[in-house]
Amino acid sequence: QRLALPPDQFLGKTAEAIFPPELAARMAGVIRRVADTEQKESMEYSLAMPSGSAYFEALFSPLDDRRIIVVARDVTAKRKADEQMREQAVLLDRAQDAILVRSLDHVIRYWNQGAERIYGWTREEAVGKLARELLYDNAAIFDTAIEELMEKREFNGELTQVTKDKRNITVQVRWTLVFDDAGNPKSVLAINSDITERKKLEQQFLRAQRLES
């Protein structure tokens, strides 16, 4: 159906008569290997369509000593979704803010490069860890913020967090509950900005004002 070709344009024809030469040669190679080894083999390929490129996954399986069955699956939508996710990941990694996704039990599921820069832990070190244990010396602060998040579906405020090298930093956090299709909360999107230096400058300014007065 995706190819918009009726069965009679396939039946009795070789791959060379249906597909572009390079693709037909690849398919012929797979067919020879499956026939020789009697083992299943898969391949991915694309075809130029009027609406743009279409992507397929094909599984070649030996049926008997003379025949091979081929099952092709259209994966264009999945391929485009994967590409979009990769593009979004690149954009998120370019952000200066720390962007995290946490499960409802506070396990870190996503950790961008901004988070690596601010906190010092790599993605591999942070993903799978509990945010409460990784980022807070005082878990009560975290728990209070979570209570407000669950009540109001979002939380905005300043929190004291800890880095890998044990520095305390002041962070402006913007947390939002993410919901599934059924309307149930499934995760937390956190966008955290390190405002430690800004807070220090504000305190210096206030001290200077007090001295002047």
Side-chain angles (χ1 to χ4, degrees), residues 70-166:
V70 182
V71 179
R73 184 165 63 101
D74 184 350
V75 295
T76 304
K78 179 179 179 297
R79 177 76 173 263
K80 290 182 177 179
D82 289 344
E83 290 178 354
Q84 185 177 18
M85 289 181 63
R86 286 194 292 270
E87 291 171 357
Q88 290 173 345
V90 170
L91 293 176
L92 291 176
D93 275 338
R94 290 179 179 175
Q96 294 301 309
D97 292 334
I99 301 177
L100 293 71
V101 176
R102 308 192 307 259
S103 61
L104 293 183
D105 54 0
H106 315 310
V107 175
I108 297 169
R109 299 302 185 193
Y110 177 77
W111 182 269
N112 76 333
Q113 289 183 7
E116 292 185 356
R117 288 189 293 268
I118 290 175
Y119 298 111
W121 285 284
T122 66
R123 184 171 301 170
E124 292 74 19
E125 292 172 324
V127 170
K129 299 294 194 305
L130 288 169
R132 177 193 280 109
E133 296 177 358
L134 190 72
L135 300 177
Y136 298 89
D137 280 337
N138 184 355
I141 296 175
F142 177 78
D143 293 337
T144 300
I146 288 296
E147 288 179 6
E148 182 173 336
L149 169 69
M150 300 307 293
E151 179 184 351
K152 299 180 179 179
R153 299 189 172 192
E154 62 180 16
F155 172 78
N156 297 298
E158 296 180 7
L159 297 177
T160 299
Q161 296 180 333
V162 64
T163 65
K164 183 178 181 179
D165 58 4
K166 305 302 181 184

Side-chain angles (χ1 to χ4, degrees), residues 201-212:
L201 290 174
E202 289 176 355
Q203 291 171 0
Q204 291 173 2
F205 178 73
L206 290 174
R207 281 198 298 269
Q209 280 190 321
R210 286 197 295 270
L211 288 172
E212 288 178 358

